[in-house]
Amino acid sequence: MQPVCLITGASAGIGKALARVFAKHGHALVLTARREAQLSALADEIAATGHARPQVMTADLGAPEGPARLAEALRTAGLDPSIVVNNAGFGLLGEAADLDRNQQLAMIDLNIRALTELSLRWIESITRYRGGILNVASIAGFLPGPGMAVYHATKAYVVSFTEALHEELKADGVRVCALCPGPVATEFFDRAGLPHDYFPAFLNRSAQRVAREGYEGFMAGHRLVVPGKPNRVMTMLPRLLPRALMLAMTDRRRKRANRRS
């Protein structure tokens, strides 16, 4: 079996940037997402830079059988994940009572269930290779989120789960890290229905910077990586301010956006 780094949600945004960074550092990659054309174009781009061409495997990880089908495809190809990068996920803007219930449940399936399954499925091989798990969370995981209630809740789960797994596996030499970016101008905004000025500009970071800092922190064995000092401050506010005040602050942002629209 060949050890590989598996990156989910690699067809765009942070996942695409992470693929470039991992390839630059010599990792053998498997890229997965639903869109084969975008994955193949990225694999060709990486190969054109002189690095090994990543293998491409399409998968719908939000489907109940999606992770198992991906695992079987990897096994059949003789590939054994030593690093798993869980980047696949999405958000939705709007009040929970107004958004489509099935879409919100699908968000939980992808952001939580699939991430958990893929984090645990290859623990044996990850430990054997002394590899790791990089879970892409968000500063949303530290804050209550009126207007994106389910999304914030899913990312709070990712942060909590990843921190606990980091503690459980560190004695085995396994790196487990939560990458918690602030706003990043990617397709995420369009799918979520977010105006591109929804968040303060000083929180914005590029996908390339997020990927670079995420890779460096992960390889250094950090438990959490929050790119950008302003975003790190945001993650500390809930420890310093009353929760009711944090709710009011985030709700004001939602109401301002509603007035603009």
Side-chain angles (χ1 to χ4, degrees):
M1 300 287 279
Q2 177 191 351
V4 293
C5 170
L6 172 67
I7 302 180
T8 75
S11 59
I14 294 173
K16 188 175 183 178
L18 283 166
R20 289 170 174 151
V21 172
F22 273 86
K24 179 181 177 182
H25 288 87
H27 297 269
L29 301 182
V30 175
L31 309 179
T32 188
R34 292 181 299 174
R35 299 179 295 180
E36 184 173 7
Q38 286 87 339
L39 291 175
S40 294
L42 176 59
D44 290 342
E45 174 201 312
I46 289 171
T49 64
H51 303 294
R53 188 183 191 278
Q55 301 210 40
V56 168
M57 293 186 175
T58 57
D60 181 1
L61 296 176
E65 70 284 358
R69 288 183 175 176
L70 175 61
E72 178 59 22
L74 286 163
R75 187 193 66 79
T76 301
L79 303 175
D80 209 12
S82 59
I83 295 174
V84 175
V85 180
N86 284 305
N87 171 73
F90 72 97
L92 293 170
L93 177 64
E95 295 189 9
D98 298 332
L99 291 171
D100 181 85
R101 182 174 65 253
N102 289 330
Q103 288 187 26
Q104 294 183 87
L105 294 175
M107 195 192 320
I108 294 171
D109 284 340
L110 183 58
N111 294 11
I112 292 180
R113 184 190 55 77
L115 176 141
T116 304
E117 182 171 351
L118 296 178
S119 294
L120 300 178
R121 181 173 282 273
W122 292 289
I123 289 291
E124 182 181 347
S125 66
I126 290 169
T127 303
R128 186 183 338 118
Y129 295 115
R130 299 177 74 84
I133 301 165
L134 177 60
N135 288 331
V136 178
S138 168
I139 63 169
F142 297 87
L143 306 163
M148 296 187 77
V150 174
Y151 175 74
H152 278 245
T154 65
K155 292 306 182 180
Y157 173 91
V158 174
V159 171
S160 177
F161 171 68
T162 305
E163 286 193 296
L165 207 59
H166 170 95
E167 194 67 21
E168 291 177 359
L169 297 178
K170 67 180 182 181
D172 296 322
V174 174
R175 305 174 184 89
V176 184
C177 176
L179 173 57
C180 305
V184 180
T186 65
E187 291 180 3
F188 174 89
F189 271 70
D190 297 328
R191 183 173 185 185
L194 283 163
H196 282 259
D197 61 350
Y198 187 75
F199 299 103
F202 65 84
L203 297 178
N204 294 341
R205 294 295 181 271
S206 70
Q208 292 73 25
R209 175 174 174 178
V210 168
R212 175 175 51 80
E213 293 189 19
Y215 178 84
E216 292 171 353
F218 168 69
M219 295 304 294
H222 295 172
R223 185 182 76 255
L224 294 172
V225 175
V226 183
K229 186 175 180 180
N231 288 310
R232 290 193 288 275
V233 171
M234 292 296 293
T235 67
M236 292 186 289
L237 288 180
R239 308 175 198 173
L240 304 174
L241 300 176
R243 199 155 182 84
L245 178 57
M246 291 302 305
L247 277 165
M249 289 170 60
T250 53
D251 197 38
R252 278 199 295 272
R253 181 191 64 205
R254 174 181 66 90
K255 289 175 178 176
R256 284 197 300 269
N258 287 343
R259 285 197 296 270
R260 287 199 302 270
S261 61

